[in-house]
Amino acid sequence: MGASSDPNQDGSDEQQKRSEIYTYEAPWHIYAMNWSVRRDKKYRLAIASLLEQYPNRVEIVQLDDSNGEIRSDPTLSFEHPYPPTKTIFIPDKDCQKPDLLATSSDFLRVWRIYDHDSGSGVELKSLLNGNKNSEFCGPLTSFDWNEAEPKRIGTSSIDTTCTIWDIEREAVDTQLIAHDKEVYDIAWGGVGVFASVSADGSVRVFDLRDKEHSTIIYESSEPDTPLVRLGWNKQDPRYMATIIMDSAKVVVLDIRFPTLPVVELQRHQASVNAIAWAPHSSCHICTAGDDSQALIWDLSSMGQPVEGGLDPILAYTAGAEIEQLQWSSSQPDWVAIAFSTKLQILRV
């Protein structure tokens, strides 16, 4: 992450091969972005446009290891209604299932990526509308794909609900009113457990075996302060992290001790937009924000108070406000960030 050489500006092949940073410039502002999970598709990502119009675009891009270029495949670029709020590839490292990509905007959509001898492309497999009473629905703010049970996707909506889909049956498993106000993010913590954050300022945990109840893990200290993002630590599910709207701090929670943050990360100089726990380590987290910084933190000492607060162990400064951040689960040495029209992948 410390390297500053951009391979696009460097002529020498040797330098490019060792580069720690690769950059792709999209024809539009990037918002949603994520890594592919399959072992046979290394350095593949999906990026989506943020255009204030109905037709938007999704592109699937891949780093060519031999020359250090991230390339878009025109056959894997497709039109999308409204800007996707999130995109996720199927969590299928071992390539046992069809190659799927899901997106959220007005509805949840699942796309199939195919690659035959006759050519490659992307087709819409399912359009999933959780509102039975109307052809319209509250826009989806986010979703998460259950790694332990990949037929399950959970979505969050501004209509205060979370919906759990069985994408194989293309049917709603469960829909519940999760919060008093808009739900901004959702994250799985296991097969039947998920959490959500909302404009009502709370983090709530739900267990699908007992749908009538939820546990409030945290409420923001000032009333009516929305929580906008949630990251659940996959390596140590006792911990989750959340972002307060327009705030420069990240709140880390231990679900065994509700209401009190274990630590607050306070080194960003402007609003934090994204958080990603390390997929391979229980005590590392990356955060990124409007100060153009991506920071990696080591939380192994978070039980003990650190005078003056915790400092990050790595910092990277991008060329503009970072809106999106994803840590690759199948290649944990790589983090991707999106700012303005650029996608960058950084070796950490």
Side-chain angles (χ1 to χ4, degrees):
M1 216 172 191
S4 58
S5 66
D6 186 326
N8 295 343
Q9 283 146 24
D10 198 301
S12 91
D13 290 348
E14 203 40 49
Q15 186 70 35
Q16 272 182 324
K17 283 200 176 71
R18 290 201 311 272
S19 181
E20 307 288 293
I21 303 171
Y22 298 98
T23 305
Y24 174 76
E25 176 111 25
W28 21 255
H29 191 103
I30 300 169
Y31 183 65
M33 171 272 284
N34 221 326
W35 289 93
S36 174
V37 179
R38 294 169 62 104
R39 292 189 205 282
D40 65 348
K41 300 285 186 195
K42 284 194 166 165
Y43 303 112
R44 182 177 73 159
L45 301 100
I47 55 174
S49 63
L50 178 58
L51 300 169
E52 290 187 9
Q53 59 187 46
Y54 181 74
N56 274 260
R57 297 291 303 172
V58 176
E59 280 186 358
I60 294 174
V61 300
Q62 194 152 5
L63 172 68
D64 181 340
D65 234 358
S66 64
N67 65 6
E69 269 182 46
I70 299 177
R71 289 213 189 97
S72 166
D73 181 340
T75 64
L76 302 181
S77 167
F78 56 97
E79 195 169 285
H80 191 285
Y82 302 108
T85 49
K86 194 165 183 184
T87 179
I88 306 180
F89 284 90
I90 185 168
D92 173 34
K93 271 191 182 134
D94 299 325
C95 318
Q96 300 297 306
K97 295 180 159 51
D99 193 6
L100 303 178
L101 175 72
T103 56
S104 53
S105 59
D106 50 345
F107 303 111
L108 176 66
R109 289 175 175 82
V110 181
W111 309 82
R112 193 171 74 84
I113 304 158
Y114 59 87
D115 196 356
H116 326 297
D117 302 337
S118 54
S120 54
V122 181
E123 61 190 13
L124 181 63
K125 178 182 175 287
S126 323
L127 187 153
L128 303 169
N129 175 6
N131 190 340
K132 300 175 192 68
N133 309 325
S134 159
E135 60 191 294
F136 306 106
C137 71
L140 301 178
T141 50
S142 186
F143 73 99
D144 197 20
W145 205 319
N146 193 317
E147 289 177 21
E149 197 172 21
K151 67 174 188 175
R152 273 189 179 163
I153 288 180
T155 62
S156 56
S157 170
I158 64 165
D159 68 9
T160 75
T161 64
C162 288
T163 305
I164 309 304
W165 286 93
D166 179 328
I167 61 163
E168 288 172 6
R169 293 189 302 127
E170 301 189 354
V172 172
D173 256 358
T174 303
Q175 186 170 55
L176 24 96
I177 293 172
H179 289 267
D180 305 329
K181 293 185 176 173
E182 299 93 326
V183 190
Y184 285 135
D185 204 3
I186 180 171
W188 289 102
V191 175
V193 179
F194 70 90
S196 57
V197 291
S198 160
D200 65 16
S202 67
V203 179
R204 300 190 188 192
V205 174
F206 297 84
D207 189 324
L208 293 175
R209 293 165 302 192
D210 178 12
K211 296 168 191 162
E212 299 304 308
H213 300 99
S214 65
T215 308
I216 294 180
I217 299 296
Y218 174 76
E219 289 187 282
S220 45
S221 42
E222 295 91 47
D224 293 333
T225 315
L227 301 177
V228 288
R229 285 286 166 264
L230 179 67
W232 201 325
N233 186 337
K234 295 280 198 288
Q235 294 297 319
D236 187 345
R238 294 174 299 181
Y239 296 105
M240 48 176 79
T242 185
I243 304 173
I244 299 158
M245 187 180 274
D246 300 328
S247 163
K249 72 178 180 185
V250 174
V251 177
V252 180
L253 308 166
D254 180 336
I255 62 174
R256 296 165 304 174
F257 307 107
T259 72
L260 274 181
V262 195
V263 65
E264 294 187 336
L265 308 178
Q266 311 211 45
R267 291 295 181 264
H268 280 282
Q269 306 299 311
S271 301
V272 181
N273 296 323
I275 44 181
W277 287 95
H280 60 313
S281 153
S282 61
C283 60
H284 290 89
I285 189 170
C286 187
T287 60
D290 280 351
D291 56 1
S292 308
Q293 295 232 80
L295 305 177
I296 290 187
W297 310 75
D298 178 353
L299 303 183
S300 51
S301 65
M302 68 183 154
Q304 302 90 41
V306 181
E307 199 166 326
L310 204 60
D311 284 319
I313 55 168
L314 273 172
Y316 173 76
T317 305
E321 293 94 337
I322 302 173
E323 293 185 58
Q324 198 61 258
L325 155 75
Q326 299 288 346
W327 201 322
S328 170
S329 60
S330 47
Q331 293 168 275
D333 294 347
W334 292 90
V335 166
I337 57 172
F339 54 94
S340 183
T341 57
K342 290 191 171 69
L343 163 72
Q344 275 190 340
I345 64 172
L346 315 169
R347 188 197 289 276
V348 297

